[in-house]
Amino acid sequence: MSKIMIKTLSALILSSLIAGNCSRSNSGSPVSLPAITEVTCDSIVTPPVLLSVTRLFTIKDQMVAYQERNDTLFSFWKLPECQLLYSAGIRGEGPDEFLMLERNFQETTQGFRTFELQTNRIKDVRITEEGNLDVISDYQLPTNLSPLNRFLFLADSTYCFVSTDDAYEFTLLKKDGTTHNFGAYPTHLLKEETDTPNRFVYNKLTVAHPSGDKFAAFYAYTGLVRIYSYTGELLKETLLPTKETTEKDEKTIYYHLFPYATDQYIYILNQQEDIQTLEKWNWEGELISRYALNHPVSSFVIDKEEKRMYAVSKEREDCIYIYQIN
């Protein structure tokens, strides 16, 4: 087969993936979109302290709100009551203080692990019985690379972030300080410009499996989902149906809020015209369920039993929304 025929065949295959009415995985088998289930929320009125929540995450039976614009960075809430317990965490450069943090937090036996963007430092935080935050480990990463955007904690003491090399999607930082670039960009899915790096064209949101043995990437402007192993192997990819846009040059937004991961599933919000839907994916890259929310939310967590979603909205500072999703 000639090189021209090979290129033509490749272009036809790519066009059929983009224009089709069903998702396709890297194995080529079609994946149907599940029907949307409408769900309504209950709401719990709280003290007006949930201002500009950057990220929600859970620790044992508590929900934690990280609010990077506040002087006190974290508020802790008892679940399922959604009762405010205390606020803690001071902005600053002191021993138990924090500068701007990445949005991926990892639960530990004593509290949580976080990554400080401005200093390339990993901090292990212990939550005391008195409600204080003690930094018990402050580790400087062995790299001069910066910024480390979309930073993930992976297995075998490795870390992952978006690559600044325009030929690759991600960089893997190993425990010995060496780096490995991996992941080919899905070129030609979006309009590309010579003066715009691929990492901006193919902006993505990432989340790691709690074990760290794999992670998922959801692309902001195209309905592409990829699952990678912690060593950089592409395990699965799924392409969603193309959305229609009202304006010719308008960017279509698929995902713009950070996903939340459990051992079994990944949850992420998708804007469907005027309806916000919660998508439930498994770690094999399959879309399992879709839920239409009756109230827009800006950050959320899923409880340990995966029966409820706790969420907040930028529209209200004194309310937590609870959706039954199982």
Side-chain angles (χ1 to χ4, degrees), residues 191-323:
K191 181 181 178 181
E192 299 168 19
E193 301 176 2
T194 56
D195 58 344
T196 304
N198 278 333
R199 63 182 179 275
F200 297 126
V201 175
Y202 292 96
N203 185 24
K204 63 191 71 69
L205 304 171
T206 59
V207 66
H209 189 276
S211 69
D213 66 350
K214 64 187 75 171
F215 71 93
F218 292 81
Y219 291 73
Y221 305 120
T222 184
L224 182 66
V225 180
R226 284 180 168 177
I227 308 293
Y228 283 95
S229 73
Y230 78 96
T231 59
E233 177 188 1
L234 179 61
L235 302 176
K236 191 79 171 182
E237 66 177 7
T238 302
L239 185 64
L240 296 179
T242 303
K243 290 184 181 181
E244 298 295 330
T245 56
T246 55
E247 300 293 336
K248 183 177 179 181
D249 297 327
E250 181 184 355
K251 275 189 175 181
T252 304
I253 298 177
Y254 287 78
Y255 304 108
H256 67 285
L257 296 174
F258 275 76
Y260 190 83
T262 67
D263 288 330
Q264 290 186 294
Y265 301 108
I266 314 159
Y267 298 85
I268 190 166
L269 294 170
N270 189 334
Q271 193 69 37
Q272 300 281 346
E273 297 180 351
D274 296 331
I275 301 174
Q276 192 178 46
T277 61
L278 176 71
E279 295 182 352
K280 177 181 178 180
W281 294 74
N282 64 22
W283 283 100
E284 284 69 51
E286 299 168 331
L287 181 54
I288 304 300
S289 306
R290 295 190 296 167
Y291 304 93
L293 308 182
N294 70 327
H295 195 287
V297 301
S298 56
S299 189
F300 71 97
V301 292
I302 307 297
D303 66 7
K304 300 289 185 182
E305 292 77 24
E306 304 196 53
K307 295 181 179 180
R308 301 179 189 86
M309 178 178 79
Y310 297 91
V312 296
S313 172
K314 292 180 179 179
E315 298 176 0
R316 291 193 62 176
E317 302 169 9
D318 63 343
C319 188
I320 296 175
Y321 299 103
I322 304 173
Y323 284 95

Side-chain angles (χ1 to χ4, degrees), residues 50-240:
L50 291 168
L51 174 65
S52 300
V53 175
T54 310
R55 179 69 163 162
L56 294 176
F57 60 101
T58 56
I59 297 174
K60 297 180 179 178
D61 61 347
Q62 296 179 21
M63 180 180 75
V64 186
Y66 168 52
Q67 298 161 267
E68 66 182 10
R69 297 182 183 179
N70 291 3
D71 290 332
T72 303
L73 297 174
F74 300 95
S75 58
F76 294 79
W77 304 76
K78 176 72 173 177
L79 295 180
E81 301 91 336
C82 295
Q83 174 190 357
L84 177 62
L85 299 175
Y86 52 87
S87 297
I90 304 300
R91 181 190 310 279
E93 301 181 52
D96 294 314
E97 298 176 345
F98 307 89
L99 297 176
M100 182 177 290
L101 305 174
E102 179 55 282
R103 299 184 186 189
N104 285 308
F105 297 87
Q106 184 181 55
E107 183 178 355
T108 62
T109 55
Q110 299 186 73
F112 61 92
R113 180 173 294 122
T114 184
F115 174 66
E116 201 171 66
L117 282 163
Q118 295 166 263
T119 62
N120 280 1
R121 305 186 76 88
I122 292 173
K123 294 187 174 183
D124 280 345
V125 181
R126 178 176 57 209
I127 304 173
T128 69
E129 294 182 358
E130 295 77 20
N132 297 319
L133 302 185
D134 294 341
V135 176
I136 57 177
S137 174
D138 190 348
Y139 173 62
Q140 180 71 57
L141 287 179
T143 179
N144 293 323
L145 295 174
S146 181
L148 308 187
N149 291 321
R150 305 295 187 257
F151 186 90
L152 296 175
F153 299 98
L154 298 182
D156 197 26
S157 300
T158 57
Y159 312 99
C160 180
F161 43 89
V162 171
S163 176
T164 56
D165 185 337
D166 213 38
Y168 300 94
E169 285 198 287
F170 300 103
T171 297
L172 193 70
L173 176 62
K174 301 179 182 179
K175 56 187 175 184
D176 61 1
T178 59
T179 57
H180 167 63
N181 292 326
F182 67 93
Y185 277 98
T187 54
H188 309 302
L189 281 182
L190 293 171
K191 181 181 178 181
E192 299 168 19
E193 301 176 2
T194 56
D195 58 344
T196 304
N198 278 333
R199 63 182 179 275
F200 297 126
V201 175
Y202 292 96
N203 185 24
K204 63 191 71 69
L205 304 171
T206 59
V207 66
H209 189 276
S211 69
D213 66 350
K214 64 187 75 171
F215 71 93
F218 292 81
Y219 291 73
Y221 305 120
T222 184
L224 182 66
V225 180
R226 284 180 168 177
I227 308 293
Y228 283 95
S229 73
Y230 78 96
T231 59
E233 177 188 1
L234 179 61
L235 302 176
K236 191 79 171 182
E237 66 177 7
T238 302
L239 185 64
L240 296 179

